[in-house]
Amino acid sequence: MATDNVNVIEPLGNRGEALLKTNTVDGETILVKLKGSFGEAFVVTDRRIYILKYGFMAGRTFRGQCTAYRFNQITGLESRKTLVTGILEVLTATDRDTGSKTLWGVGKKSAVRADNTIAYSLMFQGASFQRGFSIARETIQEAVSANTVYAVGHESAADEIGKLALLRDKGTLTEEEFQAKKRQLLGR
């Protein structure tokens, strides 16, 4: 089934929209906004992923909860499917109990009530969540790649300065030449 043309932006209802609005930052672009089955939502922006819980079944009868994950905090996204339901889980370094949360679980094993999971209907929402999951993974990968390129650039400048220092110590470069080249490299 092709999921490229599937709608991944849907209304969350009054409580969900209000909770999202109070937690997002001005200028954030929403890429994915999907409502789960039990008063919960999965939202991906250009800056982070949000898991919203605002329904009775999600354990938030009177007050909603929003858990935000910066892309550099996320170690993985997990998608598990049963016969009729799916569970999407955001993993971080502190989440070590993946796979044990289920739709029918109780307490810490409840996928509906856990802060980092969303339960959804495979029949009615499967294609949307599959596409949203793909967009989330692509966005995280792009963000991580952008940070890696930045770090590598700084690492190579440091390597060049180290090589120049060796040339200075050997007497090939004067102190003034070394300092000028160092300023140039750091000014990039």
Side-chain angles (χ1 to χ4, degrees), residues 143-181:
V144 168
S145 294
N147 287 338
T148 302
V149 168
Y150 179 75
V152 169
H154 271 70
E155 194 173 277
S156 64
D159 288 342
E160 288 183 47
I161 292 170
K163 291 175 186 176
L164 291 171
L166 289 173
L167 292 173
R168 178 199 57 199
D169 294 344
K170 288 182 181 178
T172 308
L173 290 176
T174 66
E175 182 64 29
E176 294 79 28
E177 291 170 326
F178 170 74
Q179 291 299 331
K181 197 68 170 158

Side-chain angles (χ1 to χ4, degrees), residues 25-30 46-47:
V25 179
D26 286 339
E28 248 179 308
T29 303
I30 294 176
D46 58 339
R47 300 181 191 175

Side-chain angles (χ1 to χ4, degrees), residues 49-121:
I49 290 179
Y50 295 94
I51 302 292
L52 307 175
K53 302 284 182 159
Y54 51 89
F56 170 74
M57 293 295 290
R60 309 301 189 281
T61 305
F62 300 108
R63 295 177 56 182
Q65 177 179 332
C66 176
T67 307
Y69 300 95
R70 290 185 318 273
F71 295 136
N72 64 351
Q73 292 177 300
I74 298 171
T75 58
L77 293 177
E78 183 79 25
S79 177
R80 292 185 303 282
K81 298 173 184 169
T82 62
L83 188 58
V84 293
T85 61
I87 296 171
L88 190 143
E89 185 171 8
V90 178
L91 302 172
T92 64
T94 59
D95 299 313
R96 304 199 193 297
D97 203 14
T98 184
S100 66
K101 294 177 184 128
T102 67
L103 187 62
W104 309 111
V106 178
K108 291 182 180 181
K109 296 194 180 270
S110 171
V112 176
R113 293 185 178 224
D115 296 340
N116 66 327
T117 59
I118 297 292
Y120 59 94
S121 165

Side-chain angles (χ1 to χ4, degrees), residues 4 31 44 71 77 131-145:
D4 289 344
L31 307 172
V44 180
F71 295 136
L77 293 177
R131 181 68 185 136
F133 185 80
S134 295
I135 291 170
R137 278 199 161 163
E138 291 165 10
T139 306
I140 291 168
Q141 185 62 42
E142 288 171 12
V144 168
S145 294

